Amino acid sequence: MDGGTGDSGGDGGGGAPVGVQIQQSRRLPDFLQSVNLKYVKLGYHYLISNLLTLCLIPVMIGILIEVSQMNPEDILQLWFHLKYNLVSVIICSAILVFGSTVYIMTRPRPIYLVDYSCYRPPDDLKAPFNQFMEHSRLTGDFDESSLEFQRKIVQRSGLGEETYVPEAMHYIPPRPSMAAARKEAEQVMYGALDNLFNNTNVKPKDIGILVVNCSLFNPTPSLSAMIVNKYKLRGNIRSFNLGGMGCSAGVIAIDLAKDLLRVHRNTYAVVVSTENITQNWYFGNKKAMLIPNCLFRVGGAAVLLSNKSVDRRRAKYKLVHVVRTHRGADDKAFRCVYQEQDDNGKTGVSLSKDLMAIAGGALKTNITTLGPLVLPISEQLLFFATLLVKKLFNENVKPYIPDFKLAFDHFCIHAGGRAVIDELEKNLHLLPAHVEASRMTLHRFGNTSSSSIWYELAYTEAKRRMRKGHRVWQIAFGSGFKCNSAIWEALQNVTPSPNGPWEDCINKYPVKVIS
């Protein structure tokens, strides 16, 4: 669990007045002020790595045009010419075969997103504001200052009245236990997987790769082993369990599955992204640790990936790029989202007052690397030209911040809190329509950690806005500190799958969120 993209109303420390100390630190830095050249170079390195493919395409088009214009006499003349130049023919053929072999062997295998499913909790787990505050008061663990702090956080968080908390938190007093945490994990993971298998008609035995990510709950046997046992997956399955990686772990899991699918042919991979709240509710009075209680809610997603060419016809998306940024070498970044005990021995996740500044730095690094991979040539030239002028002639020249709206049709910004969505909308010059999916996901489901980007994608599909060829940018932040991006391209006019999370309520959205 990662509270790193928290709300706009809290402070970063013990008993400071609400909304005072982090007021200056909660905003993202202005990306116009500095851009690190080495990350631009990294992005261009990725681009140049595919230069052979980019050069071969126009050559092949030119050859096809020439061949299409030839008549039978031209073909006969070419045959007589080749007949008396056997050595040239052999050399050209060898070069052609060698080049084709190298291209086929080194070409990345396409990764298809066949379908995905987001878990929809039962209605009896809903936690309206008044119920949330009343339960917090009745536990007896929070003093009046902490209760008032939580009330203000919840009111300003961007969450609606229909988010969900786990069953153990509905009792008075709450009943967090290992058994209750396992029950929450089972309900979320199995609920998402059951729906995924039903919608895709894929048998569990066909799954060759399984990646599960959950940051704070890592029992023995692991969550991935629980899934293997439940669905009786095959004995040679390659299973992985990612823990402690925060809200951006969903993209990391996709990246791991992608690498594995490019090695192991003709198979399916399932990625399960979730977080577990039951044993990670904070029952103390340190303000920096109370924010996650107010933001995090029950949720999870299961994603089916494939490297089978036959699945292209039915797949919803193709994976285009994954760009990962890790700032863990910096001590402030490493500790800005930190699980620890307070002075009274109560365990929770502490959020630094420098969190938004650190998130902004990670985001800037990530998009600087991502830009050369996705932006139109015109935007890249403008960006690179102004950067060159700044480096060589005038340090006061502000770098040109490219228009990412030209590269992407849809944005799935991790629904960590209202403040981070506001700041990304501002810094990336996005329109309200571009962040609608993020705001509505936060309102309806709260911060579901690494799975939030899938609820957002499901929102876009439910609104019937996803057309063939559209590009989607999923971006998430996580403890460590990390900022990760995944880029998808729609292979068809995508419609929502059955039993989606927005199925019975999409017509109510968008709603106006009270600031």
Side-chain angles (χ1 to χ4, degrees):
M1 181 164 66
D2 165 33
T5 51
D7 85 301
S8 61
D11 72 313
V18 175
V20 176
Q21 290 194 357
I22 65 169
Q23 185 69 28
Q24 295 180 339
S25 304
R26 73 189 187 193
R27 303 182 67 84
L28 293 179
D30 186 353
F31 294 164
L32 292 172
Q33 298 303 315
S34 64
V35 175
N36 198 323
L37 184 60
K38 70 177 181 179
Y39 298 113
V40 181
K41 292 179 179 177
L42 182 59
Y44 279 99
H45 168 72
Y46 291 152
L47 184 66
I48 296 302
S49 298
N50 297 305
L51 190 60
L52 177 62
T53 302
L54 296 175
C55 292
L56 282 176
I57 290 174
V59 171
M60 293 300 295
I61 292 174
I63 293 174
L64 290 173
I65 293 173
E66 287 295 327
V67 171
S68 67
Q69 294 176 347
M70 294 177 68
N71 55 43
E73 290 184 4
D74 294 330
I75 296 174
L76 188 62
Q77 288 291 332
L78 180 62
W79 166 251
F80 282 124
H81 177 75
L82 295 176
K83 185 176 180 180
Y84 296 105
N85 291 274
L86 186 59
V87 175
S88 299
V89 172
I90 293 174
I91 292 174
C92 290
S93 298
I95 292 173
L96 183 62
V97 171
F98 177 76
S100 300
T101 303
V102 170
Y103 174 74
I104 292 172
M105 295 297 292
T106 58
R107 182 186 61 176
R109 198 166 299 156
I111 306 300
Y112 303 113
L113 192 164
V114 180
D115 205 350
Y116 64 97
S117 176
C118 299
Y119 175 66
R120 172 75 176 268
D123 288 345
D124 60 354
L125 295 185
K126 287 182 179 179
F129 291 168
N130 291 339
Q131 180 180 320
F132 173 85
M133 290 308 305
E134 182 65 12
H135 278 225
S136 296
R137 184 182 66 81
L138 293 175
T139 62
D141 293 297
F142 306 109
D143 58 30
E144 287 301 320
S145 174
S146 295
L147 289 171
E148 178 62 14
F149 178 81
Q150 290 183 79
R151 185 184 66 80
K152 291 187 176 182
I153 292 289
V154 169
Q155 287 179 342
R156 302 172 185 177
S157 65
L159 274 68
E161 295 277 2
E162 296 187 294
T163 61
Y164 308 89
V165 299
E167 182 180 334
M169 296 299 108
H170 283 271
Y171 293 100
I172 300 175
R175 302 176 183 176
S177 66
M178 176 62 77
R182 283 186 184 275
K183 183 176 181 181
E184 180 191 347
E186 290 171 354
Q187 288 175 336
V188 174
M189 296 191 306
Y190 300 164
L193 285 167
D194 286 346
N195 196 44
L196 180 68
F197 289 139
N198 288 336
N199 290 343
T200 59
N201 293 320
V202 171
K203 298 177 182 178
K205 288 287 186 181
D206 294 333
I207 306 302
I209 298 165
L210 174 65
V211 183
V212 181
N213 69 270
C214 182
S215 191
L216 292 181
F217 181 59
N218 292 284
T220 300
S222 66
L223 297 177
S224 59
M226 290 167 58
I227 293 174
V228 171
N229 177 260
K230 164 69 174 179
Y231 294 97
K232 309 304 177 188
L233 303 184
R234 62 199 200 196
N236 65 342
I237 190 168
R238 294 166 178 85
S239 66
F240 300 85
N241 203 92
L242 307 180
M245 304 192 80
C247 297
S248 66
V251 178
I252 296 172
I254 292 292
D255 192 36
L256 175 58
K258 175 206 70 177
D259 291 342
L260 291 165
L261 284 170
R262 286 183 173 167
V263 174
H264 303 286
R265 294 178 176 273
N266 200 39
T267 190
Y268 289 111
V270 166
V271 172
V272 179
S273 297
T274 187
E275 190 51 86
N276 195 285
I277 301 174
T278 297
Q279 285 191 307
N280 296 292
W281 203 268
Y282 176 61
F283 293 99
N285 291 291
K286 187 175 180 180
K287 302 292 193 300
M289 293 182 172
L290 284 170
I291 297 176
N293 287 8
C294 303
L295 295 177
F296 283 92
R297 297 295 183 262
V298 173
V303 183
L304 179 66
L305 302 174
S306 173
N307 57 14
K308 301 180 181 183
S309 57
V310 70
D311 281 321
R312 180 184 175 89
R313 293 182 179 180
R314 66 166 180 158
K316 287 186 172 183
Y317 304 94
K318 178 178 71 173
L319 182 61
V320 181
H321 298 294
V322 175
V323 175
R324 293 167 54 182
T325 300
H326 204 306
R327 301 294 297 274
D330 178 82
D331 289 342
K332 283 188 176 180
F334 176 72
R335 293 190 64 92
C336 72
V337 180
Y338 203 79
Q339 187 181 23
E340 60 184 353
Q341 291 181 322
D342 64 14
D343 295 338
N344 296 316
K346 303 288 182 67
T347 301
V349 176
S350 179
L351 307 183
S352 166
K353 63 181 181 180
D354 299 319
L355 183 74
M356 288 300 290
I358 292 167
L363 174 64
K364 182 180 68 177
T365 301
N366 190 268
I367 64 175
T368 304
T369 303
L370 179 67
L373 299 176
V374 299
L375 288 167
I377 295 298
S378 58
E379 288 295 295
Q380 294 192 42
L381 290 176
L382 284 170
F383 174 72
F384 191 72
T386 54
L387 188 63
L388 203 61
V389 170
K390 175 181 173 65
K391 291 292 181 182
L392 297 180
F393 303 107
N394 187 353
E395 292 186 359
N396 294 323
V397 174
K398 293 183 178 181
Y400 174 72
I401 299 302
D403 185 357
F404 280 91
K405 298 189 294 296
L406 298 176
F408 304 112
D409 301 282
H410 307 283
F411 297 78
C412 296
I413 301 167
H414 165 54
R418 183 169 59 85
V420 74
I421 299 174
D422 290 345
E423 290 301 315
L424 262 73
E425 179 183 5
K426 174 185 174 183
N427 277 274
L428 295 179
H429 307 297
L430 303 179
L431 301 174
H434 293 130
V435 295
E436 180 184 315
S438 300
R439 292 194 191 281
M440 296 307 103
T441 294
L442 181 65
H443 182 272
R444 178 62 185 83
F445 295 99
N447 181 349
T448 60
S449 190
S450 57
S451 65
S452 68
I453 53 178
W454 298 107
Y455 287 90
E456 294 164 20
L457 189 58
Y459 179 89
T460 304
E461 292 179 7
K463 284 292 185 181
R464 311 280 175 161
R465 296 171 181 170
M466 190 66 66
R467 317 306 295 175
K468 183 177 180 180
H470 280 189
R471 284 200 167 193
V472 184
W473 182 11
Q474 291 181 322
I475 185 164
F477 301 90
S479 56
F481 191 85
K482 299 178 288 293
C483 177
N484 299 321
S485 295
I487 313 303
W488 303 90
E489 181 181 341
L491 298 176
Q492 56 179 287
N493 295 337
V494 182
T495 56
S497 300
N499 300 315
W502 299 93
E503 193 170 68
D504 66 342
C505 61
I506 191 62
N507 293 331
K508 301 176 183 177
Y509 289 89
V511 298
K512 183 176 177 59
V513 179
I514 300 175
S515 300

